[in-house]
Amino acid sequence: MTSLDALRPRLPSPLRELADPRFAGHGIRLLLKRDDLIHPELVGNKWRKLAPNLTAAAGRTVVTFGGAYSNHLRATAAAGRLLGLSTVGVVRGDELADRPLNPSLARCAENGMRLHFVDRSTYRRKTEPQTLAALLRAARAEDAYVVPEGGSNALAVRGCRALGEELAGRADVVAIACGTGGTLAGLAAGLAPDQRALGVPVLKGGFLDAEIRALQEEAFGGPRGTWSLDDRFHFGGYARTPPELDAFARDFESRHGLPVERLYVAKLLYGLVALAEEGAFARGTTIAAVVTGRPFP
């Protein structure tokens, strides 16, 4: 048994049908792929992306990157505590260094992650070799294993292929909220030829198409699967949760007794309801919506 096996992930994650008149009224079946139930602390796609990278780290310190409310930073910190690994989080925004930690960063620190705050200009250049080397020196982690922001690299993409394989033949469309695009890149590769993946970006900017293509090239040597993006449902950008979205999420929770994570899952579900009402899916379509996280704190 490997150390990751000792964490006892729940795989494959459960797939459940949800009765909702907003879909049933259009002749659509809605399934929820409950990746939020894989592990209590390494939730959803965070497990799928981190697991192969943690194996590759082989006990070395893990350095990764994120903003002040990063789910990825929290998951990496939790993994470090559970596996006895040293972790360093490079956090966007040096102005945060002199402020009290928000609940997300406080959880990272509680789990033993050493936080290193950098200015936003440097953070934008973090993938440049010279800048990355300087960041690692400043963080006293020059020999660390580096995981990119959001955990999306070739190993992560190949790890997420299992999500598509678990859903092969179970739905016509598999929909997922997207941050850095790694999960969608792997998901699409694992689906059967007659299935397609739909990504709902939670950041504005329209950059994900090229990112996903680059990730598939890195992971598989070229494009894999059928996928598309609908970037209308970001609600202004990452961590933006206006009253309309919050009201939708509270209504969904009331209807189905399911806690709805706001930054990703609420935007996905809102988008699917809107698309169903627009007639974007033919009658008889089965949609599987991937629940990638749960509310925090």
Side-chain angles (χ1 to χ4, degrees), residues 65-84:
F65 306 84
Y69 296 92
S70 169
N71 294 327
H72 170 67
L73 286 183
R74 287 202 313 276
T76 304
R81 175 177 58 79
L82 292 167
L83 297 172

Side-chain angles (χ1 to χ4, degrees), residues 87 107 131:
T87 60
R107 179 67 58 85
T131 301

Side-chain angles (χ1 to χ4, degrees), residues 198-221:
L198 170 64
V200 175
V202 302
L203 293 83
K204 61 181 179 179
F207 60 88
L208 264 191
D209 188 273
E211 294 288 336
I212 293 167
R213 294 181 190 280
L215 285 166
Q216 288 197 330
E217 179 70 33
E218 183 184 4
F220 308 120

Side-chain angles (χ1 to χ4, degrees), residues 88-201:
V88 177
V90 178
V91 183
R92 180 179 63 247
D94 57 345
E95 74 277 5
L96 300 173
D98 298 322
R99 300 178 186 174
L101 296 179
N102 67 31
S104 185
L105 293 177
R107 179 67 58 85
C108 291
E110 289 164 8
N111 278 325
M113 175 174 274
R114 186 156 48 86
L115 300 174
H116 180 71
F117 298 89
V118 300
D119 67 87
R120 293 167 187 273
S121 176
T122 300
Y123 189 90
R124 284 194 295 270
R125 304 193 311 274
K126 63 188 176 298
T127 58
E128 299 173 4
Q130 191 171 6
T131 301
L132 177 59
L135 283 171
L136 294 178
R137 285 195 300 273
R140 306 188 308 281
E142 292 174 87
D143 297 324
Y145 180 85
V146 177
V147 178
E149 183 177 24
S152 292
N153 58 11
L155 283 176
V157 171
R158 289 194 286 268
C160 290
R161 180 169 51 190
L163 173 59
E165 293 168 348
E166 290 173 22
L167 287 164
R170 307 297 296 274
D172 303 298
V173 179
V174 180
I176 191 164
C178 301
T180 53
T183 306
L184 178 62
L187 162 66
L191 293 175
D194 60 344
Q195 296 175 289
R196 65 183 177 94
L198 170 64
V200 175

Side-chain angles (χ1 to χ4, degrees), residues 210-240:
E211 294 288 336
I212 293 167
R213 294 181 190 280
L215 285 166
Q216 288 197 330
E217 179 70 33
E218 183 184 4
F220 308 120
R224 294 289 187 276
T226 302
W227 56 271
S228 62
L229 299 171
D230 192 320
D231 61 4
R232 294 178 293 159
F233 306 110
H234 53 70
F235 284 88
Y238 186 72
R240 300 291 178 86

